Amino acid sequence: MMMRWPASSTRSRAVIVTQISTSSTSSSSPNSSLSWSSSSSAWLVPRNQRGLFHYRAAAPTALPSQVPSGPRLFLATNSANHMPQQHMSTAAAPKRSRTLTLESMNKDILRVEYAVRGEIAIRADDLRKQLAEKPGSLPFKSIVNCNIGNPQQLRQKPITFFRQVAALVDYPDLLEEENLATTKKLFAGDAIARAKSYLKAVGSTGAYSHSQGVPIVRQEVAKFILDRDGFPSDPDNIFLTAGASPGVQLCLQAIIAHQNVGVMIPIPQYPLYSATVSFCNGKAVPYYLDESSSWGLSVEELRRSLKEGQTAGVEVRALAVINPGNPTGQCLSEKNMSEIIDFCHENRLILLADEVYQTNVYEPNELPFHSFKKVLKSKGSNFEDVELISFHSVSKGMVGECGRRGGYFECTGIDPKVKDQLYKMSSISLCPPVQGQLMVGLMVNPPKQGDESFPLYNKEMTGIYESLRRRAVTLRNALNKLEGVSCNPAQGAMYLFPTITLPPKAVEAAKAAGKQPDEFYCLELLNNTGVCVVPGSGFLQKEGTWHFRSTFLAPEDEMDEFANSLTIFHKQFLDKYR
């Protein structure tokens, strides 16, 4: 394709063109790449020669008939109104600045911090890559990810019934009549029946579902809540989500209407809350858990926090409570929960109840799990106007299906018009992953006594639960033997959150490295042992105290080795910085 440069006009101007080609030029054109078109009165430039020339406007002049070979200047007449359609140059074009930079991007994103997947976790990934590429190059054989509650990453076995149903709904050909005889040899009968039921409801796991979630699963969730609490639940008040986190984010987005809206969050806290409040440009209003009383939550502290926020001019709208606690592992008593509801009722606060660890309760006789929905409804009609949103997930408990991304939240006492808006916002994402939704259904409606799969299901769930209890005790005992370390028991959840006392020289070294002391400790732990934990500063903590959070999800047969490597490192670290 040829490009045209008009050669004459009543308002012509010259264009100076740099000839880069060293080929000989003909007498018919100023360059062998150019040819004169008498019909169009223009010099024609082959498109494949773009990049050989650049141009700039110059005073009108005549065009020479010949130009010697080699890099030279020649003149081409060009209309002032018809400059070349392409800018052609071998010289480097001026570098354009990017439109999206750290300086120009949304500042709310820059304020977000999420320590669970922060610098230390990124460093762990780099070390894992190094081990894969250069085995034996590090003083450990593998990375142990104790930074996040991701059970199956640490070899927790999936529940057989759940995976059988998941496999069948994803490959429905196994349910065709001609394959059914073979399928029945591999899959339990109740798993086959459940898969057929789900497929009838969704058509295909590859199809979009209702934006609020598959109706049959929301019905299963409502039945689960009724059986758990003794109070009815309406499927229309339930939203299925891609894990609990998107539900928390959606609700906080709805609550934080302007930058002066505050949300009370526990300290220490799961960074989801501080990160989302920050992203929504709201105000985090901290209340502190009491480490001296097993990370207890006192209403007196809630009152102090609320008053402090309001005195600062913050419009405090909501209270977030994580029960069982993350990262602290505490469980609330029913009496304590009732006091918290009284506090919310008195101060017209929305109660956000994060209950994703409700089956991870390790002192069930002393501190059984109670849902905030149950405690609220038990208080009678005077509390009907309390606004409560409760969250649950398939990622925790003994299910541990983090990658499936399944969860739900239930609205209690929430304005129907607000629910309509939550539905609208859910619709923007079309729907949560259908496989995750079905996993929610399986979690809340597992095999029952008398079902074919119940014996194996019960054995698997009980085995994981008892192993978690033992691992929690093993790791806590090992931590409490370390110099300067003190750790409360895990009443629930999947974590221990020990406090550590670090030598002044270690604190100075951390400062010199531009890091918090517990972050410095955790990086050294990772670099020397391959154990990845999260510094307490990532969860926020009382000024002058240092902690780290570790899961106790490492395989039970490796727990002694894990504890031993931690012990050796800690002694070496203290000796280095005494």
Side-chain angles (χ1 to χ4, degrees):
M1 181 176 178
M2 309 296 284
M3 298 179 61
R4 300 179 54 193
W5 282 349
S8 63
S9 171
T10 56
R11 298 180 60 198
S12 65
R13 304 181 69 189
V15 173
I16 297 177
V17 181
T18 302
Q19 177 191 337
I20 303 302
S21 172
T22 57
S23 61
S24 299
T25 58
S26 69
S27 60
S28 62
S29 77
N31 182 275
S32 60
S33 298
L34 304 177
S35 61
W36 175 257
S37 170
S38 57
S39 61
S40 58
S41 298
W43 290 100
L44 304 182
V45 184
R47 183 174 291 278
N48 63 5
Q49 297 298 314
R50 75 177 65 175
L52 293 183
F53 308 98
H54 77 262
Y55 62 87
R56 65 179 176 85
T61 184
L63 185 68
S65 60
Q66 289 188 357
V67 177
S69 63
R72 296 295 298 268
L73 294 178
F74 65 87
L75 305 173
T77 305
N78 177 58
S79 166
N81 298 323
H82 297 88
M83 293 298 287
Q85 298 173 5
Q86 296 275 349
H87 182 162
M88 299 178 291
S89 175
T90 53
K95 188 173 182 180
R96 297 177 58 185
S97 61
R98 291 185 173 90
T99 300
L100 184 62
T101 65
L102 281 177
E103 291 72 28
S104 67
M105 73 183 298
N106 187 335
K107 296 301 183 290
D108 294 332
I109 292 178
L110 297 179
R111 283 195 294 269
V112 169
E113 294 185 5
Y114 189 70
V116 173
R117 299 251 181 172
E119 178 188 356
I120 294 177
I122 294 170
R123 172 65 176 160
D125 288 339
D126 291 340
L127 294 176
R128 182 180 288 106
K129 182 179 179 181
Q130 180 178 335
L131 284 171
E133 294 175 350
K134 300 177 181 179
S137 61
L138 294 170
F140 46 85
K141 296 179 181 179
S142 63
I143 300 296
V144 183
N145 282 99
C146 295
N147 60 306
I148 191 167
N150 193 11
Q152 293 185 24
Q153 182 186 42
L154 293 169
R155 305 207 323 257
Q156 179 171 302
K157 186 178 180 295
I159 301 301
T160 301
F161 177 78
F162 295 172
R163 285 302 182 91
Q164 286 191 346
V165 176
L168 290 168
V169 295
D170 260 0
Y171 190 48
D173 283 4
L174 293 172
L175 299 174
E176 296 295 332
E177 193 62 39
E178 62 269 23
N179 299 321
L180 208 50
T182 301
T183 300
K184 288 180 178 179
K185 295 177 183 178
L186 300 172
F187 295 85
D190 50 353
I192 293 172
R194 181 70 68 86
K196 287 181 176 180
S197 173
Y198 282 159
L199 283 171
K200 183 179 179 180
V202 303
S204 169
T205 55
Y208 290 134
S209 75
H210 190 286
S211 294
Q212 195 170 336
V214 176
I216 189 175
V217 176
R218 285 189 281 128
Q219 291 164 10
E220 288 178 306
V221 173
K223 176 66 163 53
F224 161 77
I225 293 171
L226 169 63
D227 293 342
R228 182 194 67 189
D229 298 339
F231 295 96
S233 174
D234 184 347
D236 288 339
N237 290 334
I238 294 164
F239 288 74
L240 301 184
T241 53
S245 295
V248 171
Q249 291 165 337
L250 172 61
C251 294
L252 286 175
Q253 286 172 345
I255 290 167
I256 301 173
H258 53 78
Q259 64 182 7
N260 207 40
V261 170
V263 178
M264 298 176 66
I265 63 173
I267 303 298
Q269 53 95 40
Y270 179 48
L272 165 68
Y273 291 91
S274 57
T276 305
V277 170
S278 180
F279 179 68
C280 294
N281 206 16
K283 298 284 196 303
V285 181
Y287 65 89
Y288 290 86
L289 304 178
D290 184 0
E291 185 170 11
S292 65
S293 61
S294 297
W295 298 109
L297 193 170
S298 73
V299 173
E300 289 74 20
E301 170 61 14
L302 293 180
R303 295 190 192 283
R304 182 208 61 78
S305 172
L306 176 62
K307 182 178 180 180
E308 184 177 90
Q310 291 175 336
T311 301
V314 177
E315 182 189 339
V316 183
R317 287 190 177 182
L319 168 67
V321 179
I322 308 173
N323 181 49
N326 175 12
T328 49
Q330 87 285 1
C331 293
L332 299 177
S333 68
E334 187 173 8
K335 179 178 181 294
N336 195 184
M337 295 170 71
S338 180
E339 293 170 346
I340 293 167
I341 292 171
D342 290 341
F343 172 77
C344 290
H345 183 247
E346 174 188 341
N347 295 284
R348 299 186 62 195
L349 296 176
I350 305 160
L351 178 55
L352 304 175
D354 184 332
E355 300 175 336
V356 301
Y357 297 99
Q358 60 188 259
T359 57
N360 294 102
V361 175
Y362 306 122
E363 299 177 10
N365 295 325
E366 298 82 6
L367 288 168
F369 173 76
H370 299 281
S371 74
F372 271 103
K373 165 84 176 287
K374 173 187 174 183
V375 178
L376 171 61
K377 290 299 182 181
S378 299
K379 293 175 76 69
S381 58
N382 289 339
F383 289 80
E384 287 295 322
D385 59 348
V386 172
E387 297 161 272
L388 167 68
I389 305 176
S390 308
F391 304 90
H392 197 12
S393 170
V394 303
S395 299
K396 310 306 176 184
M398 275 51 73
V399 181
E401 292 281 4
C402 303
R404 299 276 171 174
R405 307 313 300 137
Y408 74 80
F409 66 86
E410 182 191 22
C411 297
T412 303
I414 301 299
D415 187 333
K417 292 180 180 178
V418 171
K419 286 191 297 181
D420 290 343
Q421 295 304 308
L422 294 176
Y423 174 73
K424 177 183 73 176
M425 294 303 293
S426 298
S427 300
I428 293 174
S429 300
L430 298 176
C431 72
V434 172
Q435 265 284 11
Q437 295 185 56
L438 298 184
M439 190 59 66
V440 171
L442 293 167
M443 175 183 71
V444 300
N445 185 21
K448 305 293 192 299
Q449 187 86 41
D451 292 343
E452 179 182 345
S453 294
F454 178 77
L456 178 58
Y457 166 80
N458 189 55
K459 177 183 177 182
E460 290 173 338
M461 292 287 284
T462 303
I464 294 170
Y465 173 78
E466 294 296 342
S467 176
L468 284 171
R469 291 182 71 181
R470 290 192 298 269
R471 281 178 275 173
V473 172
T474 298
L475 183 56
R476 184 201 173 213
N477 288 343
L479 289 169
N480 279 330
K481 291 177 182 178
L482 302 180
E483 180 183 349
V485 176
S486 176
C487 186
N488 279 309
Q491 298 169 346
M494 298 175 171
Y495 317 101
L496 292 171
F497 197 66
T499 182
I500 55 176
T501 302
L502 298 174
K505 287 184 179 180
V507 175
E508 292 169 8
K511 184 177 180 180
K515 302 191 181 303
Q516 294 286 350
D518 50 6
E519 180 186 14
F520 182 75
Y521 178 91
C522 293
L523 273 171
E524 288 287 298
L525 174 65
L526 173 63
N527 289 331
N528 285 275
T529 68
V531 173
C532 182
V533 297
V534 188
S537 49
F539 300 93
L540 306 182
Q541 55 197 344
K542 277 191 174 181
E543 188 72 27
T545 66
W546 312 113
H547 302 78
F548 64 83
R549 187 192 78 167
S550 175
T551 71
F552 40 84
L553 297 173
E556 191 167 11
D557 60 356
E558 297 177 9
M559 187 58 72
D560 288 339
E561 180 183 351
F562 169 63
N564 185 55
S565 65
L566 185 60
T567 300
I568 294 171
F569 162 78
H570 186 76
K571 183 178 185 305
Q572 291 174 342
F573 182 89
L574 292 186
D575 289 343
K576 179 178 180 181
Y577 291 105
R578 288 188 194 279

